[in-house]
Amino acid sequence: MDTSRITSFVSALWDAEIVPQLVEYIRIPNKSPMFDAQWREHGYMDQAVDLMERWARAKLPAFEGATLEVVRLEGRTPLIYIDVPAQGVTGKGTDETVVLYGHLDKQPEMTGWAEDLGPWVPVIKGDKLYGRGGADDGYAIFGSLAALLALREQGVPHARCVILIEACEESGSYDLPHYVDHLAGRIGNPALVVCLDSGCGNYDQLWLTTSLRGMTGGNLTVQVLEEGVHSGDASGVVPSSFRILRDLLSRLENPQTGEIVPRELYVEIPAQRVEQARRSAEVLGTAIYDKFPFVEGMQPAATDLSELVLNRTWRPQLAVTGVGGMPPLDSAGNVLRPKTSVKLSLRVPPTLSGAEAGAFLKHLLEKDPPYGARVSFDLEKDGSGWNAPALSPWLEDAVAQASQHYFGAPAAYMGEGGSIPFMGMLGDKFPQAQFLITGVLGPHSNAHGPNEFLHIPTGKRVSMVVADVVARHFQEASKA
């Protein structure tokens, strides 16, 4: 395999076709179902599916016997299923399958975008394509097919490849298990799983994700009155719903340090992951926190860099992501409000059961309500995390060489703080599979937030790496 030809082919395809396709994709406000309950009526998800389907179908004639189907189970978001049979096999081949995964649904708009940017306004500035969803992770279907097309262009053989693009990941992938079960006979038993929905510590080298945190959360509501009353009359007599809510949250989170209080939400961190965190801290230095837009004078939660890495990858952490029951500042009168609600997002360690964490959280918050207040915690999600199996020697070597070929630097390994429910699901179903989890979400790319961007050169290089690793997989599997 000629790596210089891989580089040239992939880069040209990105420039000529993939970037223009992503520009059009960013324009579509196809928010995940959790953020758009009327996604069917709005039709934006179908528009995104149609865009990707048209481009992919135009490329399938390059592969003998390749098929594409948009699978639609009743009442669920659609899924794009592409089956590319083994290609270029002469003599002994392999019956192993490679699964390449991504998603096309998006997070909501979020506020704070720069004046010339917006979630549905694609803008290219230098090497960056701004807009919602390009990096997280609309590029996945394009990058996956670009990798296979690059191999085809050289006649490099590869095993059967199945590409799965779901439309529910940002809502916790609750539709995906139904599709995996529905397609189980067609997917088969994957030997290698490639996921392009993760992050990178910098744009200078290939980053492999070694773990993903799980997540649980929902809406916590404290109600003290049937209706609002004059605060001058009631304060000091009626306990504030906001104060009770703060008290309940302190059961979960230490308000001074931000540490999660219950030990039931922790796990023992494997020694290898601690060492990888130390090495990542050495590579990244203060970039671990410099990438965040701190206000002047603000400091990170800890000074030890390796502890910051472990905080965001292996320790539980809480974020309050929404508030209900509070009027805007300009219309807030002197009223003791009847209730306060907050949306909680609790990241949990990779090896902790998301379902058990969710049940524990509900019990913790609802038990013994102060003053007899009406307290309810409506659980919305409880996905488990994932801890990568040890890399096979061939994959470790392939990753090392690919990083040098296409990035010009050694590969790096680090856990990610986010969640990709599909990885835990596949890890449970296929414990013998090898995993290549990587992505383009690097410093300042700001997935889920304002000014999200895709670093185009990294997207190209990740596509090149996938091509290289898929080719190496075939070489190794053919020896068996």
Side-chain angles (χ1 to χ4, degrees), residues 303-478:
T303 56
D304 187 309
L305 297 179
S306 60
E307 289 299 302
L308 290 177
V309 174
L310 292 173
N311 280 349
R312 68 175 289 275
T313 57
W314 275 89
R315 294 185 181 127
Q317 302 287 341
L318 176 68
V320 177
T321 61
V323 179
M326 289 189 176
L329 294 177
D330 58 3
S331 60
N334 294 322
V335 175
L336 196 150
R337 296 173 298 100
K339 63 181 179 180
T340 305
S341 300
V342 291
K343 186 178 288 293
L344 304 182
S345 174
L346 180 68
R347 301 287 176 172
V348 298
T351 55
L352 187 70
S353 165
E356 292 179 8
F360 175 84
L361 183 59
K362 182 175 177 65
H363 176 72
L364 178 75
L365 296 173
E366 290 185 344
K367 70 177 182 180
D368 303 326
Y371 304 102
R374 185 181 299 166
V375 175
S376 63
F377 180 68
D378 297 323
L379 192 64
E380 288 186 326
K381 48 200 169 188
D382 57 5
S384 296
W386 172 79
N387 187 29
L391 291 186
S392 294
W394 77 265
L395 182 54
E396 188 171 10
D397 181 64
V399 163
Q401 291 194 31
S403 186
Q404 288 289 352
H405 283 152
Y406 305 111
F407 285 87
Y413 298 82
M414 184 170 66
E416 281 294 328
S419 305
I420 309 176
F422 187 48
M423 294 305 103
M425 187 189 315
L426 280 190
D428 291 338
K429 285 181 175 290
F430 309 112
Q432 303 305 313
Q434 288 285 288
F435 289 81
L436 174 67
I437 315 299
T438 187
V440 299
L441 297 171
H444 308 290
S445 59
N446 213 23
H448 300 196
N451 307 324
E452 178 183 333
F453 69 76
L454 165 66
H455 188 249
I456 296 171
T458 300
K460 293 178 179 180
R461 292 177 186 131
V462 166
S463 302
M464 298 168 196
V465 167
V466 172
D468 208 304
V469 170
V470 169
R472 283 289 303 274
H473 162 261
F474 178 84
Q475 295 173 13
E476 185 66 24
S478 297

